[in-house]
Amino acid sequence: MSTISVLGLGAMGSSLASTLLAAGHSTTVWNRTSVRARDLATRGATAAASPAEAAAASPLVLVCLLDYTAVREVLAAAAAQLRGRTVVNLTNGTPAEVAAMAAWVRGQGAAYVDGAIMVTPEMIGGPHASILYSGTRDAYTTHAAILGALARGSFLGDDDTHAALHDLALLATMFGMFGGVLHAAALLTSARVPVAGVAPMIVELLHAMVDLVPEVARQIDTGDAPPPTSNNHMMAAGLHNILAGSRDAGVAVDLVAPIAALFDRGVAAGLGARDISALAPLLRVPARSDGV
Ligand code: FVH
């Protein structure tokens, strides 16, 4: 029997399996497109012919696929082999998808732990690698040492959905940052300014702004509103300059316009003299009955 089976050998699954092998864990692998298992097999992995064969091979079944449609298909094909095993699912999804999957997996007689990988494939096994987990605590504790070969693990508690909730929240900040970088690049290249030359300035600005995040978070949690040094009215004016300057340069404002609109809503709601933390409640919308 192997120590661990890895279902899914995309960029991330391959890195997970490769790191487990390098750490000396006997590893069974499976992928829909079987050629992706070939290199791992030459390095000592056992290539399974089906999800069922892979699940049967190990007490710990690691799943890392594109999305939950794939996870549902693949685990359904392994359902009869899951009893008594622990499924650790590192696929990105919504809290609702996690809740349904956790119930289904437990219905097959297996333990369920959900996970959110917070780094890119090449960082797995390295000093900055981090994975968030939530779900069945005992199952996580039992396998924590093996999972520790992949990344520093943080167990967020027995609410299955919390790793996915944190994943979506953290990724939203990351995509916000990269969206800003893409807009900056479009503006710069419209004036034939090479982006690489400006990158150090962007990094310096982001480093300075990142230090403000804990205080913004504290104000959002507590409702505390100390007098701001950067008020929303001033920032709305600055955002409108970005919109106007971008349009002048022939740059689409799709990414920045919704942020400007949020600041405008804040000013219209009487929050112009407050700072950015006062805007967070404006993003909470009541659930719609049509699911959008
Ligand atoms: N790569 C990254 O930077 C991020 C880092 C944070 C975590 N994510 C999440 O990890 C999941 C897998 O991502 P990935 O990078 O491995 O993705 P791909 O390289 O595109 O590989 C996709 C794998 O999923 C398989 N697959 C897709 N659909 C099906 C299906 N219907 N049935 C069975 N397998 C399916 C695909 O198989 P194949 O195309 O090779 O046959 C790959 O193994 C993901 O949730 C990220 O959000 C990665």
Side-chain angles (χ1 to χ4, degrees):
M1 200 168 209
S2 295
T3 305
I4 185 165
S5 293
V6 178
L7 277 63
L9 300 174
M12 184 52 84
S14 295
S15 177
L16 297 172
S18 171
T19 304
L20 289 163
L21 282 173
H25 296 297
S26 79
T27 304
T28 292
V29 294
W30 174 85
N31 194 61
R32 177 180 63 176
T33 308
S34 58
V35 69
R36 289 182 114 160
R38 221 179 259 166
D39 176 56
L40 290 160
T42 62
R43 294 169 48 209
T46 302
S50 66
E53 193 180 303
S58 312
L60 178 56
V61 179
L62 203 64
V63 183
C64 188
L65 296 163
L66 177 65
D67 56 20
Y68 271 71
T69 301
V71 176
R72 281 188 289 270
E73 279 177 33
V74 168
L75 287 185
Q81 275 68 42
L82 293 180
R83 181 162 297 282
R85 286 170 170 67
T86 292
V87 173
V88 174
N89 182 14
L90 301 180
T91 305
N92 175 271
T94 69
E97 286 177 316
V98 172
M101 182 53 63
W104 182 86
V105 167
R106 292 194 183 109
Q108 312 309 309
Y112 186 80
V113 176
D114 201 72
I117 303 171
M118 302 318 305
V119 289
T120 50
E122 68 279 10
M123 297 183 203
I124 291 296
H128 302 298
S130 157
I131 302 181
L132 311 177
Y133 296 97
S134 55
T136 303
R137 185 181 294 273
D138 287 352
Y140 173 72
T141 307
T142 301
H143 298 292
I146 299 167
L147 298 172
L150 303 173
R152 176 172 39 84
S154 305
F155 188 75
L156 303 180
D158 58 10
D159 183 327
D160 298 310
T161 66
H162 271 199
L165 175 72
H166 286 67
D167 192 19
L168 299 188
L170 295 181
L171 289 179
T173 67
M174 181 193 79
F175 284 118
M177 180 193 77
F178 281 121
V181 170
L182 292 177
H183 190 88
L187 259 180
L188 292 164
T189 53
S190 75
R192 294 196 174 75
V193 175
V195 185
V198 186
M201 299 176 210
I202 295 173
V203 169
E204 191 176 10
L205 174 74
L206 289 176
H207 275 306
M209 293 301 112
V210 135
D211 287 343
L212 303 179
V213 170
E215 174 59 12
V216 170
R218 187 192 70 78
Q219 291 182 23
I220 291 170
D221 282 346
T222 62
D224 190 20
T229 52
S230 307
N231 69 67
N232 291 330
H233 188 260
M234 172 278 296
M235 287 193 276
L239 276 157
H240 280 276
N241 288 334
I242 297 174
L243 294 181
S246 299
R247 288 189 181 109
D248 290 347
V251 169
V253 296
D254 309 42
L255 297 178
V256 183
I259 302 172
L262 176 66
F263 276 79
D264 288 346
R265 276 172 62 206
V267 171
L271 301 171
R274 298 273 306 277
D275 75 8
I276 196 168
S277 60
L279 303 179
L282 301 185
L283 290 171
R284 297 276 306 275
V285 288
R288 286 169 46 158
S289 57
D290 58 5
V292 176

